[in-house]
Amino acid sequence: MFDLDRWQEIMSTLKKNKLRTFFTAFGVFWGIFMLVIMLGSGTGLKNGVTSDFGDFATNSVFMWSRTTTMPYKGFPRGRRFNFRNDDIAVLKREIPEIDILSPRNQGGGRREGNNVIRGYKSGAFSVMGDYPEWNLIDPVNILNGRFLNHADITEKRKVAVIGNKVHEVLFRPGEDAIGQYIQIQGIFFQVIGVFKPGQSGVGFGGDKEQTIFIPLTTFQRIYNWGDIIGWFAFTSKPGVPASLVEEKAAALLKRRHSVSPQDTQALGSFNLEKEYNQMNGLFQGINGLIWVVGIGTLLAGVIGISNIMLVIVKERTKEIGIQRAIGANPWNIISQIMTESVFLTVFAGYVGLVIGVGILEVVNNLLSATGESSNMFKNPNIDFNMAITALAILVFSGAVAGLIPARKAVSIKPIDALRYE
Amino acid sequence: MIRLTNIHKSYVTGSNSLHVLKGIDLKIEQGEFVSVMGSSGSGKSTLLNILGILDNYDLGDYYLDGTLIRSQSETRSAALRNRYIGFVFQSFNLISFKNALENVALPLYYQQVPRKKRNRIALEYLERMGLKDWAEHMPNELSGGQKQRIAIARAMISKPRVILADEPTGALDTATSYEVMQLIKEINTEGITVILVTHENDIAHMTKRIIRLRDGLIESEVLNGKPPIIN
């Protein structure tokens, strides 16, 4: 429904005072431009920071035992206690909200000099006693072979999954490590897999590339840990807050290990979900602020449009009077002015949108070209929905900006409009 | 065609009220050629504006082609103006950013006639005015007489029943005035009612009926130069 006459009229009014049109449009252009740049930067910041979490299960909780600080059930304070293997089954049974449960024993080793030997090569690596479930909490990329499985656990196999750096140190480049043996603190382990760490920057001491995973049960046996478990990592089921699981698990473990329920110091725990949510909250706050400031800037531009439309209507009073005398009805006039206002707003805003997105693209390319995958700022962009929202806001605000001038244009009687000089 | 009974109109500015029309009774038949004369302030323009549904009146009745014209919506007024009335103004009032052809075609635009069709009709009317070669010219490239002829073509294009002309020759020299009056006369012979406001006697005497206003009342009516008729 292209109406040539309407566009001819719009163009003629806008061209009549080009500088004025330019400045008016600039207000809206700047509003949308700033909104796009700020939203894109906010996304970039968020991408940068959240990419640090990578594939790590963000709803995970970690829990370890410490020293009691209260006497309870005849035990003195200051008692050390440990989680045990049978805690695993009880936790799973008593707390159905737990999704993944992965006990872990963390060996020292790295700081004690070279603890792993193969032939005449040796290195200092972190040794972790794990369950296969660990790979669901902090996923690794298996380059070769496989991760631990439950048969490894139940049969207490002496098998190891080694990080790529471990492979680099102990093997020749490109050498197939699978089936080979390495010596961990004097005990031979068969290599069953080589991995490269996932994207996550969440760590537990030690370089992940220099980590060796062995079955938890094997770990307990060779290091003479009995049935002691160092700490638990667990995640909540979808829709269940991790803190609920954290509370329940803490209460259960305290009961099982005769720790006073009031003793808040006896168990250490870290709730990643809480941290993650806090960070998300921060980004939501930043995002909200961006919208408030951006919409404010845009509003200033739109008010500018409204103002100029009022001036245009005043300048064209007589013309509008003539049009009405020869048969233009109020709707003709109103839609004419509203179209003009929406056109000006959308055009200026669209230019702002395109230039803003263009600049984000350039920054994006520069960032990836320099290879500087800085961990604070990554992949700034605005998504399609945001762009559509911004355009919808533009159309709406353009219509609102035109409404008052349009009403003014038809509120004046045709005869007064005709007489107006 | 037009029937006015006891029309009153006052303009209120602040606390002052100016009583402009003080009871006009007037009957104009289809096809008449009427001029309204009077000194400035006599209410002749106000009367024309009321006839053209550009302004409302305070008291009385105005029937246009049997329809009572009173406080209808502006949309309805616009439709009535578009259908019944063609306007010719003293200052031509062409739309500056439209060329001659588009100016003539404008009333049909508001009737939602397709662009091609209305431009074809407009060209016919321009031809009748002898301005076919000027169709693409903008108003500021035309002389006063040409502008007024374009304005007349624009008033004619919607085939109105009444043409209202507010001092159509006021801004023209004598020779051009007479040409324009000749055109208006021709239009009248086609059966269209023409009502024109003027304060020039020679122009008024080209019409068939002269109505003189004085202080908001009809002072006299002269038919073809014959003595006044008593209402």
Side-chain angles (χ1 to χ4, degrees):
Chain A
M1 208 204 74
F2 183 76
D3 188 336
L4 193 66
D5 283 71
R6 172 162 294 177
W7 291 99
Q8 180 196 36
E9 191 166 339
I10 288 173
M11 286 309 155
S12 101
T13 22
L14 294 184
K15 272 191 207 149
K16 206 175 279 173
N17 202 329
K18 290 199 185 80
L19 192 67
R20 183 177 74 187
T21 307
F22 172 76
F23 280 126
T24 312
F26 188 80
V28 170
F29 160 80
W30 191 248
I32 279 286
F33 178 73
M34 287 312 288
L35 186 64
V36 167
I37 291 289
M38 289 195 299
L39 280 175
S41 307
T43 312
L45 199 63
K46 186 177 175 180
N47 284 347
V49 175
T50 52
S51 76
D52 217 35
F53 284 101
D55 302 327
F56 206 100
T58 49
N59 59 339
S60 37
V61 175
F62 309 92
M63 199 167 279
W64 58 93
S65 60
R66 305 204 314 201
T67 313
T68 60
T69 57
M70 286 181 191
Y72 189 63
K73 284 192 177 171
F75 291 109
R77 56 189 289 248
R79 175 175 64 100
R80 283 210 64 98
F81 68 102
N82 288 304
F83 298 150
R84 303 282 169 172
N85 277 353
D86 44 7
D87 287 333
I88 300 172
V90 176
L91 276 171
K92 277 188 181 163
R93 195 181 62 228
E94 304 270 311
I95 308 172
E97 291 90 346
I98 289 181
D99 192 14
I100 302 163
L101 176 67
S102 184
R104 177 175 238 198
N105 278 342
Q106 198 163 342
R110 276 210 71 191
R111 266 156 288 180
E112 295 154 19
N114 291 356
N115 56 348
V116 183
I117 303 170
R118 177 176 180 257
Y120 50 84
K121 291 181 177 177
S122 65
F125 305 114
S126 310
V127 179
M128 303 289 181
D130 268 305
Y131 260 45
E133 280 83 354
W134 182 257
N135 203 25
L136 300 172
I137 289 177
D138 187 11
V140 298
N141 301 314
I142 293 289
L143 301 173
N144 210 351
R146 63 168 175 88
F147 198 72
L148 302 172
N149 63 25
H150 276 285
D152 298 334
I153 303 291
T154 47
E155 292 175 20
K156 302 186 176 68
R157 287 175 181 165
K158 291 206 274 293
V159 291
V161 182
I162 61 174
N164 52 336
K165 278 273 170 65
V166 179
H167 180 273
E168 214 171 273
V169 171
L170 297 181
F171 294 84
R172 290 193 309 277
E175 188 180 355
D176 187 8
I178 309 301
Q180 304 289 321
Y181 286 88
I182 57 172
Q183 224 180 319
I184 302 172
Q185 289 180 307
I187 294 163
F188 280 97
F189 281 77
Q190 191 176 28
V191 176
I192 55 163
V194 182
F195 71 89
K196 193 177 187 304
Q199 282 294 307
S200 130
V202 183
F204 301 91
D207 183 354
K208 284 190 203 172
E209 296 182 309
Q210 304 187 44
T211 296
I212 298 173
F213 292 117
I214 62 173
L216 179 90
T217 47
T218 318
F219 186 103
Q220 286 171 336
R221 177 184 270 183
I222 67 164
Y223 288 110
N224 216 6
W225 279 37
D227 63 348
I228 288 173
I229 283 168
W231 45 272
F232 285 114
F234 43 82
T235 65
S236 58
K237 286 207 167 123
V240 180
S243 48
L244 178 81
V245 178
E246 184 185 13
E247 261 171 50
K248 284 191 167 185
L252 180 66
L253 289 169
K254 281 178 189 169
R255 205 165 63 235
R256 286 182 55 79
H257 295 283
S258 305
V259 176
S260 162
Q262 278 83 44
D263 192 343
T264 52
Q265 303 291 309
L267 284 182
S269 74
F270 178 79
N271 187 338
L272 189 65
E273 187 180 67
K274 213 188 269 171
E275 304 288 316
Y276 186 73
N277 285 347
Q278 241 166 33
M279 196 127 66
N280 264 351
L282 178 69
F283 284 118
Q284 262 163 27
I286 290 177
N287 218 26
L289 198 67
I290 286 172
W291 276 104
V292 168
V293 173
I295 294 290
T297 317
L298 186 63
L299 193 68
V302 168
I303 288 172
I305 296 237
S306 197
N307 249 329
I308 273 324
M309 291 308 298
L310 272 176
V311 173
I312 288 177
V313 162
K314 198 153 176 76
E315 282 174 355
R316 295 189 53 209
T317 303
K318 178 146 191 188
E319 220 162 72
I320 291 168
I322 299 167
Q323 290 178 337
R324 291 173 72 181
I326 62 179
N329 61 36
W331 174 242
N332 291 136
I333 305 289
I334 287 178
S335 60
Q336 173 72 41
I337 290 160
M338 301 263 284
T339 313
E340 188 169 330
S341 162
V342 169
F343 167 73
L344 193 58
T345 315
V346 170
F347 178 77
Y350 188 72
V351 172
L353 194 68
V354 167
I355 292 183
V357 170
I359 285 181
L360 286 180
E361 255 336 280
V362 168
V363 170
N364 213 345
N365 280 344
L366 283 180
L367 276 183
S368 53
T370 53
E372 184 58 51
S373 60
S374 134
N375 46 8
M376 282 307 282
F377 201 75
K378 196 176 183 183
N379 199 8
N381 62 33
I382 73 163
D383 63 32
F384 191 65
N385 283 341
M386 276 189 210
I388 294 294
T389 310
L391 269 182
I393 289 172
L394 279 175
V395 173
F396 176 75
S397 49
V400 171
L403 200 62
I404 298 166
R407 287 183 61 91
K408 198 177 161 71
V410 291
S411 69
I412 174 166
K413 273 194 298 181
I415 182 60
D416 296 327
L418 265 175
R419 284 206 196 105
Y420 187 88
E421 287 302 336
Chain B
M1 186 65 207
I2 286 173
R3 204 169 81 232
L4 298 179
T5 39
N6 195 28
I7 295 287
H8 284 259
K9 172 74 184 171
S10 330
Y11 289 108
V12 181
T13 42
S15 53
N16 294 330
S17 173
L18 187 64
H19 202 172
V20 181
L21 297 182
K22 298 170 180 166
I24 300 283
D25 292 301
L26 185 62
K27 214 168 177 178
I28 296 171
E29 298 302 334
Q30 176 73 43
E32 275 200 79
F33 193 8
V34 183
S35 58
V36 180
M37 295 194 72
S39 56
S40 64
S42 61
K44 55 188 194 302
S45 283
T46 304
L47 177 63
L48 201 72
N49 291 333
I50 288 171
L51 290 175
I53 328 180
L54 290 171
D55 209 347
N56 48 9
Y57 52 94
D58 302 330
L59 215 72
D61 294 310
Y62 167 26
Y63 285 93
L64 174 63
D65 199 26
T67 315
L68 179 64
I69 307 296
R70 176 183 277 163
S71 58
Q72 65 279 59
S73 74
E74 180 47 38
T75 309
R76 174 115 180 90
S77 303
L80 285 169
R81 280 198 291 270
N82 192 266
R83 192 151 51 119
Y84 282 104
I85 300 162
F87 288 95
V88 178
F89 303 96
Q90 177 179 5
S91 51
F92 324 126
N93 285 349
L94 299 178
I95 306 287
S96 58
F97 54 84
K98 287 179 181 293
N99 65 27
L101 184 76
E102 289 165 337
N103 260 293
V104 175
L106 198 56
L108 296 185
Y109 168 69
Y110 295 121
Q111 289 177 9
Q112 276 142 20
V113 175
R115 187 177 171 83
K116 260 203 182 118
K117 189 178 172 195
R118 64 175 189 261
N119 281 354
R120 200 188 66 234
I121 299 171
L123 200 62
E124 284 169 23
Y125 276 87
L126 275 178
E127 203 172 359
R128 276 180 59 183
M129 300 295 153
L131 288 170
K132 197 184 177 188
D133 297 339
W134 302 86
E136 301 296 321
H137 284 70
M138 301 309 275
N140 57 6
E141 298 163 344
L142 300 167
S143 72
Q146 287 169 329
K147 281 192 221 177
Q148 196 59 298
R149 276 185 283 164
I150 285 164
I152 290 169
R154 181 178 69 182
M156 296 280 296
I157 197 168
S158 55
K159 296 198 170 67
R161 309 284 287 274
V162 183
I163 293 230
L164 298 176
D166 191 357
E167 307 220 22
T169 58
L172 304 174
D173 60 60
T174 315
T176 324
S177 293
Y178 284 4
E179 280 173 37
V180 166
M181 280 311 292
Q182 192 54 42
L183 260 176
I184 293 176
K185 235 184 219 170
E186 281 168 24
I187 290 164
N188 175 245
T189 54
E190 288 170 24
I192 297 174
T193 314
V194 176
I195 302 168
L196 67 84
V197 162
T198 185
H199 55 254
E200 292 165 79
N201 269 315
D202 52 341
I203 299 294
H205 279 95
M206 293 179 198
T207 66
K208 293 173 188 160
R209 178 176 165 197
I210 300 171
I211 296 165
R212 286 180 195 278
L213 289 189
R214 191 188 180 91
D215 297 332
L217 284 167
I218 294 179
E219 185 191 39
S220 67
E221 284 193 48
V222 186
L223 206 59
N224 273 338
K226 287 171 197 154
I229 327 160
I230 310 302
N231 270 336

